[in-house]
Amino acid sequence: MLKLAGAILVLLSGTLIGFRQAARYADRTAQIRQLLHVLQRLETEIGFGHTPLPEAFERAAAGAAEPVAALFRRTAARLREGGAAVRDALRAAIDEGWSLTAMREPERAAVIRLGDALGISDREDQIRHLRLAAALLQAEEAGARDEQARYGKMWRSLGFMAALLVVILML
C-alpha cells in the first residue's frame, strides 16, 4: 500500500514537472505577445496622443498582464521621480524585473535597444524605433511558437515517462 502511494506521488510529481516546463514555453509566447501589445499602445500614445513618456508608459502598461506590465510601470515610476533618462529608467526596470518573465535574451535586447532610442528624438523617429522593436519581437514570437509546439509536447511526455521509469524501478 505504501509503495503504491509512493508510486502515485512520483508519477504525479514527474508529470507536474513536465507540464510546468511546457508551460514556460507557453508563457514566453504569451509574454512576447503582451510586449508587442504594449509597444503598439506606446506607439499610439506617442504618435497620436502626444502623451508625455511617463504617462505613455503607464497607459501602455495598463493593457498588459503581469509581469510585462510591471516592467513598464516601473519605468514610468522612475521617469516620474525625475532625473532619469528613458534609457536608464527602462534598463533599471528590466534589470529588476526581467527574471520574473519567461522571456529570453533576444527579447531583452530588443527592449533595451528601444529604450536607447526613446525620448531622445522626434516623434516620427520614436515611432520608427517602436516599429522596429515590434518587428524584432514578432520574429521572436514566431520562433517561440515553434519551440512551444516542439518542446512543449516533449516536456509533457518526458515528465510522465521519466516518472514512470522511476516507478518501474521502484517496484
Side-chain angles (χ1 to χ4, degrees):
M1 183 65 182
L2 194 56
K3 272 189 171 183
L4 181 62
I8 291 172
L9 285 175
V10 167
L11 196 58
L12 182 63
S13 297
T15 303
L16 289 176
I17 289 171
F19 272 83
R20 180 63 194 127
Q21 287 293 78
R24 291 284 293 173
Y25 288 100
D27 290 346
R28 179 178 179 224
T29 304
Q31 288 174 9
I32 293 172
R33 202 171 309 118
Q34 288 171 11
L35 188 55
L36 282 166
H37 179 70
V38 168
L39 294 184
Q40 288 172 345
R41 291 205 48 179
L42 199 55
E43 180 183 340
T44 302
E45 292 293 335
I46 291 170
F48 300 109
H50 305 287
T51 310
L53 282 176
E55 190 176 337
F57 274 100
E58 190 69 40
R59 286 182 182 177
E66 296 298 328
V68 173
L71 297 173
F72 291 92
R73 276 199 310 271
R74 286 184 185 123
T75 303
R78 281 184 168 70
L79 290 173
R80 284 199 173 120
E81 290 170 2
V86 175
R87 171 187 182 179
D88 299 330
L90 187 58
R91 279 181 191 244
I94 286 173
D95 289 343
E96 187 178 308
W98 196 261
S99 62
L100 302 174
T101 71
M103 292 183 282
R104 296 186 185 151
E105 187 58 33
E107 295 90 15
R108 184 177 191 270
V111 174
I112 287 175
R113 205 171 313 127
L114 172 65
D116 292 344
L118 287 180
I120 61 171
S121 58
D122 65 348
R123 194 176 47 220
E124 288 79 24
D125 191 47
Q126 291 182 48
I127 290 172
R128 275 195 302 273
H129 284 285
L130 283 163
R131 288 179 180 162
L132 174 63
L136 292 171
L137 289 171
Q138 285 172 344
E140 289 300 323
E141 181 190 12
R145 268 195 312 257
D146 290 343
E147 284 183 10
Q148 178 185 356
R150 185 178 314 132
Y151 298 120
K153 289 179 184 178
M154 180 196 73
W155 274 106
R156 284 189 295 273
S157 299
L158 186 63
F160 176 75
M161 293 299 182
L164 187 61
L165 177 65
V166 169
V167 167
I168 290 171
L169 293 175
M170 271 180 23
L171 300 177

